[in-house]
Amino acid sequence: MGLPWVMAAAGGVLTNLAFPDRGWWPLAYVGVALLLLALRRTRMVQAGATGLVWGMAFFLPHVYWVVHATGSVLPWIALSMLQALYIAGFAAAWAVARRAVWVESRPVVQACLATVIWVAVEQLRASWPFGGFPWGMLAFSQTDAPLVRLAPYGGEVLVSAGVVFIGALLTWVWAGRSRAVVAVGAAGAGLVLALVPWLLPLDDQAEVGTLRVGAVQGNVPQRGAEWAVQAREVTANHTRGTRRLVEDVGDELDLVLWPESAADIDPRTDAGQAALVDAAARAAGAPVLLGTQRFPAGQDVRYNELVLWQEGGAVGGAYAKQHPVPFGEYMPYRDLFRRITPLVDRVSTDMAAGQGPGLMPIPIERLSREVDAAVGICFEVAYAGLIREGVVGGGELIIIPTNNASFGYSQESTQQLAMSRFRAVEHGRATVQVSTVGVSGIILPDGSVVERTGLFTAEEIAATLPLRTSLTPAARLGAVPAGAVWVLATVGVAAGALSRRGRGHRAGGLGSRRPAIVTEAHAGEGRTAPVSVVTGQ
């Protein structure tokens, strides 16, 4: 098992490098190929262990920002291990599924089935438990790659499937290395599949007018001050930033965006905060969409909300975050986990989930109408269904306010920006990610970033964005692609489990070298059994 584990570990490390900050997207194909090669002769338990190695090698560096957020390595290791178990599950399921008679002698079927099982497991990981953790989905590594142009047609499901299938083709390059025609053919097919999506058009033209948007990244004061003092200073920073923004771009703004936690002391109930926000709205001559916290009277919970503020006060309703982060914003099973670590009590007041779609109607004076914005707060950008709900509900652009102050100088904020870029392409919507400390960015519907800030800086950015109402096939399909891969993966694994030929034989699979059906003696049994070792040779 030594070499397969080395290959799996290398594959996990390389796949992480495909994501921001590095963004070397072709390495995602190589990383997946190395995992499939490492699994080529393993049985279910060995495959699960190999998948776990790949998962730990990937997730440990990928979510290292958890250490910055919690100040402890324990949550980082626990989260990485939990996510790696899903990769172990994929590997075990693949080892079972490839036993089926209709799979083991057909390399193309093997590649398709491996792809379906991976995407099904990835979608499960993004939805369970506690609402799931979509971080690290292969699709999010492809925002600079041609494959991202598949996003409007099938969202994360189709783009991740493309990555895995190309990785499967790369295993044929290895398998066919003794026959040049096989290796060259597989490499050529992979290259074509990786590059052809560039030919797919992305429409980024305005359909119902344009919106002049400014985003303010106010930065945060040094740690150490009392919470309320810091919260007021953060709001003051954003007021000053709004004034600088107006000085730079004039009074032509339709909307000013502040990030999550820009006014954690609620300006709806605090006169000092209200004066700061009112001054910003007055300077901009436009409404300010800002993040705040609401603590309902008599309840030991809080809500993370977006509020629209015009000069004189808040207008309209508020959007409350629907998907609070478990262990970060609320503590499930607090009494149980307190027995493991006292860190659970760092979350002193649990955040409750809001209700209703992520949609904010914003009155725009220049357009003489309300512009509906699809919104998601911070990590909510990772949840496809939540953002889609806002777009299908009429969102003409996407707004992602976030607060990355807890994650230090890590890749968390750029990983999040990649997700915002993916959502822009997936739905054909201009998107703005605005952070307290960065990275903030203004993104066109084709995924290109036209303005971007640094990390832990006070900056302001602005752009005129196209407003759009047409729906992409991905938006129309919704959860259908995910449901389809779950069904196909279940059928494939069940067929392998029920296959009589799957009992007691040497495992083959993608990347094995000999195409023929051979026989192999079972030790101590005095009989032979057919073994299919597939390659494409």
Side-chain angles (χ1 to χ4, degrees), residues 29 32 72 78 87 130 157 166 180 239 246 263 275 292 306 362 440 457 529:
Y29 315 147
V32 171
S72 171
I87 310 302
F130 308 118
V157 170
I166 292 170
T239 299
V246 173
T292 188
L306 292 180
I362 303 170
S440 302
T457 59

Side-chain angles (χ1 to χ4, degrees), residues 8-25:
V13 170
L14 291 177
T15 304
N16 177 60
L17 294 177
F19 290 78
D21 280 335
R22 296 293 187 271
W24 300 335
W25 52 267

